Amino acid sequence: MKSKKKKRIGRLLTYGMFILLGVTSVSVTSKAAYTSSDGKWKYDYYAGDDTEIDITGYCGADKVVTVPAEIDGCKVIRVKGDDIINNNTTSLVLSEGITSLYASTSISTGKEKKTLTSLTIPKSLASLDVGVLDGCTDLTTIKIADGNTDFAVEDGMLCAFKPDINDDDDYEELSDEDADVKCIIFAQSKKGNVTIPNDIREIDECAFRGSAITSVTIPNTVDYIGFQAFMLCDDLTTVKMNGSIDVRIDMEAFAEDYQLKAFDIPNNARL
């Protein structure tokens, strides 16, 4: 892990030098995107290693998609989920060995509905971008392999464990002793009345965005509600927070919730 982190830092420093020198575009010699022998996958080599690949596109038409652990003799490390999930896919299975499911674009601005109903996460997966699952309001089956310590499902909500750090902390100084906090990262398939569990510390960006919830009760254990976390919840009428809660609410967390009539927010909330 440390070697990969150093590579990322090195690349950032290199790009910074180009900017300081006034270079606005950089030509990088690299291999063009490849197509797998079965014609289903587009991929690039991962971090310059010709034995590991980063899937960048899906060319198949299957509704039930399993991303293999290897393609053409190379290990699959990362998967760009956009092309797969946006392709009328109903079920996505990630094979063991895949460490990251990421999105190439930011979250959408509308309410584009996707057809995904089932997601299987392997033990190896450690990173999942918020934008990948945005719009998957029918995603009600999430399976996580035994031994995965980065994700959990609680009451139908996908949660991630993140380092408990302050805004001014240096990521590079994190150690194994840093405690993790439990965050809801996807709950767009939730409906009706929702009570956030007491072991949740954060409600992440877009977590409930576009869901069919009608009310939400947030305990005083939650100290952060992310950007657009409850945006576009057309049926949401009531938000209740415990009076003693000390919570930071990000921009547009409850934007465009036009039916919201009862908003019980504590005086010490930080907006």
Side-chain angles (χ1 to χ4, degrees), residues 6-193:
K6 290 179 179 177
K7 288 180 181 178
R8 290 197 295 270
I9 294 172
R11 287 197 293 270
L12 289 172
L13 291 174
T14 301
Y15 297 153
M17 291 174 62
F18 279 119
I19 293 171
L20 289 173
L21 291 172
V23 178
T24 57
S25 63
V26 180
S27 176
V28 179
T29 301
S30 62
K31 296 180 179 179
Y34 286 82
T35 301
S36 61
S37 57
D38 62 6
K40 286 186 176 182
W41 307 98
K42 295 284 188 182
Y43 65 87
D44 286 318
Y45 289 112
Y46 177 72
D49 187 339
D50 61 5
T51 66
E52 298 179 337
I53 60 175
D54 182 345
I55 291 180
T56 58
Y58 179 64
C59 309
D62 298 330
K63 303 303 181 187
V64 178
V65 178
T66 297
V67 182
E70 290 190 1
I71 293 177
D72 295 343
C74 297
K75 294 180 180 179
V76 178
I77 302 298
R78 301 198 319 156
V79 177
K80 184 176 75 174
D82 307 50
D83 286 349
I84 303 174
I85 295 176
N86 291 340
N87 199 44
N88 296 320
T89 303
T90 58
S91 176
L92 176 60
V93 178
L94 303 176
S95 296
E96 179 61 29
I98 296 171
T99 62
S100 175
L101 179 65
Y102 71 98
S104 62
T105 58
S106 60
I107 56 174
S108 59
T109 56
K111 294 185 69 174
E112 294 84 356
K113 185 180 174 72
K114 299 172 185 175
T115 57
L116 193 70
T117 61
S118 176
L119 173 66
T120 299
I121 294 174
K123 177 182 176 180
S124 56
L125 195 77
S127 173
L128 193 156
D129 280 359
V130 172
V132 175
L133 300 179
D134 188 42
C136 295
T137 54
D138 291 329
L139 177 55
T140 56
T141 301
I142 302 175
K143 303 174 184 177
I144 301 177
D146 292 342
N148 186 307
T149 58
D150 292 295
F151 300 99
V153 176
E154 185 163 353
D155 192 23
M157 297 177 285
L158 179 60
C159 303
F161 296 93
K162 300 180 179 181
D164 184 10
I165 58 175
N166 296 317
D167 292 341
D168 56 354
D169 282 340
D170 185 352
Y171 176 78
E172 296 299 319
E173 294 179 356
L174 291 177
S175 67
D176 293 337
E177 287 73 30
D178 286 292
D180 286 344
V181 298
K182 196 173 186 179
C183 315
I184 297 174
I185 62 171
F186 175 80
Q188 293 184 13
S189 58
K190 294 293 290 181
K191 299 178 181 180
N193 301 323

Side-chain angles (χ1 to χ4, degrees), residues 205-262:
E205 173 183 332
C206 302
F208 287 85
R209 187 179 187 271
S211 69
I213 63 173
T214 56
S215 72
V216 59
T217 301
I218 302 173
N220 59 9
T221 54
V222 174
D223 58 21
Y224 175 68
I225 299 175
F227 175 72
Q228 295 188 2
F230 292 91
M231 183 179 180
L232 291 169
C233 294
D234 293 341
D235 300 321
L236 181 61
T237 61
T238 305
V239 175
K240 180 176 177 56
M241 300 182 187
N242 289 342
S244 61
I245 191 172
D246 180 16
V247 62
R248 181 164 63 92
I249 303 175
D250 214 331
M251 295 185 301
E252 301 183 3
F254 295 91
E256 300 185 46
D257 293 340
Y258 298 118
Q259 300 301 317
L260 185 56
K261 297 179 175 62

